[in-house]
Amino acid sequence: MAYRFLHTADVHLDSPLKTLALRNPELSELLGLATRRAFIRVVDLCLEEQVDALVLAGDLYDGDQTSMKTARFIAEQLRRLHEAGVRTFIIRGNHDALSKITTELVMPETVKVFGASAEAVVIDGAGHSPIAIHGLSFAKPHAPQSLLRHYALPVPDAVNIGIMHTSLGGSEKHDLYAPCSVADLQQSGFRYWALGHIHKRSVIEDPASVIVMPGMPQGRDINEDGPKSVSLVTIRDDRSIVVEERSTAVVQFERLAVDASGATDWKGMIGEVSSGLHKLRASVTAQHLVARVQITGCSDLAWRLRRDLDLVRTELETRGAHIGSLWIDKVQTVCLPPGSVNSRLGAAGELATIMEDEVTRSEGYQQELRAIAEELRAQLPAELREMFGSDEVSFEETLANIARDGSAEVLARLRREKVD
């Protein structure tokens, strides 16, 4: 008989909402429960597939949690697995190391939470090859050095599975944690590496090992867009490994770019965007879709689009409700008037040139913009401050985008043109 387990990571249970859609109470409630509902799906999948184990490769929690409601929820779900005879293997990641409830929660006896010293749990073959599961948790929120050297040597004659929370060689939008190379993992003698930390899925297979970063079971905002899933892993009798991706997200975030160049009037433009939303909704299997829409191209409607973007959003929200389970996170436009890139004729063009070349690049403007942004950021809850960027470079990029969008907004409102 094969040995089967479900591998997931980065659940971030009860993570504070980051999306701009917080102003919609109904959507806020949906997203607030999404990580829990996705985790219930993970447990349901374990039971449906009758797996032997659930492997959680770090960041089950989302930091400095104090609510025991989260702890009770976890205990209830792991109890379901316990009663079905499914074992659970957990390591703590960087977010778990911050959580106060990780040390307070009493787990069922079928749950193994690895500590700050590497351990190996050997499961004797009962119709399958012996399985050795190795794990090591973060003792502190930061792990600047590789943890690989702390893992024990592979158990002889067993299929060795390593659970590790690591950034590997580094990834965009992710801090460096317990870095190690793919080559090092491949040469470790472990047959399967169950990784966590990077929220984007990846699978690396070679004859010696299978290295899987499962991504996360549920995205939390538009920066975690795309399908979310877990890995169903089967170790066959011949010790070959099969990895299957299974969808788990209750809510899927997606970006939609629509070229409005072909639209000759307002109704036609709305129709083009609505058609794009219909196609996107049909391609997404998740129960709910949250879309960020960007209107592109060149059109005579460009200035009106910029001025009346709130009306576009309202119209698209209505269309989304009609389509079903489709929510609008934000509507943006980079649509330009025909010829505006090259000619910029007339007073509006002259004003645009002055704003771009003289005003927004001036030291005084930059200082004032930075001061306003820093004041606003300081007033936000800590979990929302990354909206202005996670470091100095992204903060400067955010300010540049604000300046550019602000200039376009001023021009749109000053523009005097007839609209349908």
Side-chain angles (χ1 to χ4, degrees):
M1 294 176 60
Y3 186 83
R4 306 173 78 226
F5 63 92
L6 206 70
H7 168 203
T8 188
D10 302 289
V11 180
H12 292 283
L13 273 172
D14 295 339
S15 174
L17 299 182
K18 299 178 182 179
T19 177
L20 295 176
L22 283 168
R23 58 179 169 267
N24 184 322
E26 190 176 357
L27 180 55
S28 177
E29 181 180 3
L30 170 66
L31 297 179
L33 294 173
T35 55
R36 286 196 180 202
R37 293 177 62 190
F39 190 71
I40 291 173
R41 286 192 173 188
V42 170
V43 174
D44 288 345
L45 188 56
C46 287
L47 301 178
E48 291 166 8
E49 294 290 343
Q50 298 182 336
V51 300
D52 297 284
L54 170 63
V55 172
L56 289 162
D59 285 358
L60 175 59
Y61 306 104
D62 191 67
D64 190 12
Q65 297 273 14
T66 56
S67 173
M68 290 307 293
K69 292 181 180 179
T70 304
R72 286 195 294 271
F73 171 77
I74 285 292
E76 290 169 1
Q77 296 307 311
L78 296 185
R79 177 65 59 180
R80 292 175 61 202
L81 296 178
H82 169 76
E83 292 173 351
V86 179
R87 301 185 68 170
T88 304
F89 297 92
I90 301 174
I91 64 168
R92 297 187 180 114
N94 53 294
H95 283 271
D96 297 319
L98 289 168
S99 175
K100 296 178 181 178
I101 64 176
T102 56
T103 56
E104 298 173 5
L105 182 59
V106 178
M107 300 286 194
E109 53 268 29
T110 51
V111 176
K112 171 61 178 177
V113 180
F114 290 93
S117 297
E119 300 177 68
V121 176
V122 179
I123 303 167
D124 292 331
H128 57 74
S129 300
I131 306 294
I133 299 181
H134 302 249
L136 173 63
S137 288
F138 278 32
K140 299 179 179 180
H142 299 286
Q145 305 297 325
S146 173
L147 298 177
L148 182 57
R149 61 187 176 89
H150 296 291
Y151 283 72
L153 294 174
V155 175
D157 300 323
V159 177
N160 288 268
I161 299 169
I163 315 175
M164 181 185 291
H165 201 74
T166 174
S167 59
L168 288 176
S171 176
E172 184 181 359
K173 298 181 182 179
H174 290 279
D175 294 330
L176 202 63
Y177 286 100
C180 64
S181 70
V182 169
D184 289 339
L185 296 180
Q186 290 171 331
Q187 295 168 13
S188 66
F190 285 31
R191 191 68 184 86
Y192 183 94
W193 276 104
L195 305 183
H197 184 63
I198 297 175
H199 295 175
K200 185 176 181 181
R201 179 179 178 82
S202 67
V203 179
I204 302 171
E205 299 183 73
D206 71 7
S209 65
V210 179
I211 302 170
V212 176
M213 189 74 73
M216 61 196 315
Q218 174 61 61
R220 296 167 295 168
D221 58 42
I222 194 63
N223 294 315
E224 295 171 341
D225 56 339
K228 302 301 174 187
S229 59
V230 297
S231 293
L232 177 61
V233 184
T234 301
I235 302 176
R236 292 173 169 170
D237 293 340
D238 61 1
R239 300 196 175 199
S240 62
I241 293 180
V242 178
V243 180
E244 303 173 66
E245 183 180 7
R246 297 298 177 88
S247 299
T248 50
V250 176
V251 182
Q252 184 166 321
F253 293 86
E254 290 290 347
R255 300 174 188 269
L256 176 66
V258 179
D259 188 341
S261 300
T264 58
D265 56 25
W266 189 260
K267 182 178 179 180
M269 182 273 299
I270 295 294
E272 289 281 351
V273 180
S274 298
S275 176
L277 288 173
H278 269 283
K279 293 177 182 177
L280 182 61
R281 173 68 270 199
S283 70
V284 171
T285 58
Q287 184 179 352
H288 298 273
L289 168 64
V290 177
R292 177 168 293 186
V293 179
Q294 184 178 74
I295 303 173
T296 68
C298 291
S299 170
D300 290 330
L301 298 168
W303 293 107
R304 183 182 175 187
L305 262 173
R306 175 72 63 173
R307 187 192 66 188
D308 296 336
L309 207 55
D310 58 332
L311 302 182
V312 178
R313 179 190 174 95
T314 299
E315 183 66 38
L316 295 184
E317 286 176 337
T318 302
R319 301 292 178 101
H322 178 73
I323 293 170
S325 299
L326 195 164
W327 310 79
I328 304 300
D329 170 64
K330 191 176 184 180
V331 180
Q332 302 169 314
T333 179
V334 291
C335 191
L336 297 171
S340 62
V341 176
N342 298 320
S343 58
R344 282 191 172 176
L345 298 178
E350 292 180 10
L351 178 58
T353 300
I354 293 172
M355 292 173 67
E356 179 179 328
D357 295 343
E358 299 181 25
V359 177
T360 61
R361 296 183 183 181
S362 68
E363 184 177 349
Y365 179 91
Q366 292 292 330
Q367 289 178 348
E368 184 68 18
L369 178 60
R370 180 177 285 98
I372 294 172
E374 288 175 344
E375 181 180 355
L376 288 173
R377 183 172 59 180
Q379 294 176 14
L380 289 172
E383 63 270 13
L384 297 180
R385 291 174 187 169
E386 286 193 2
M387 292 170 56
F388 283 91
S390 58
D391 52 34
E392 187 65 24
V393 173
S394 57
F395 180 57
E396 293 297 332
E397 290 177 354
T398 300
L399 294 185
N401 291 335
I402 291 173
R404 183 175 61 251
D405 290 346
S407 298
E409 184 76 17
V410 169
L411 291 170
R413 292 184 179 278
L414 289 175
R415 180 89 171 183
R416 293 289 188 266
E417 63 180 12
K418 294 181 180 180
V419 295
D420 294 333

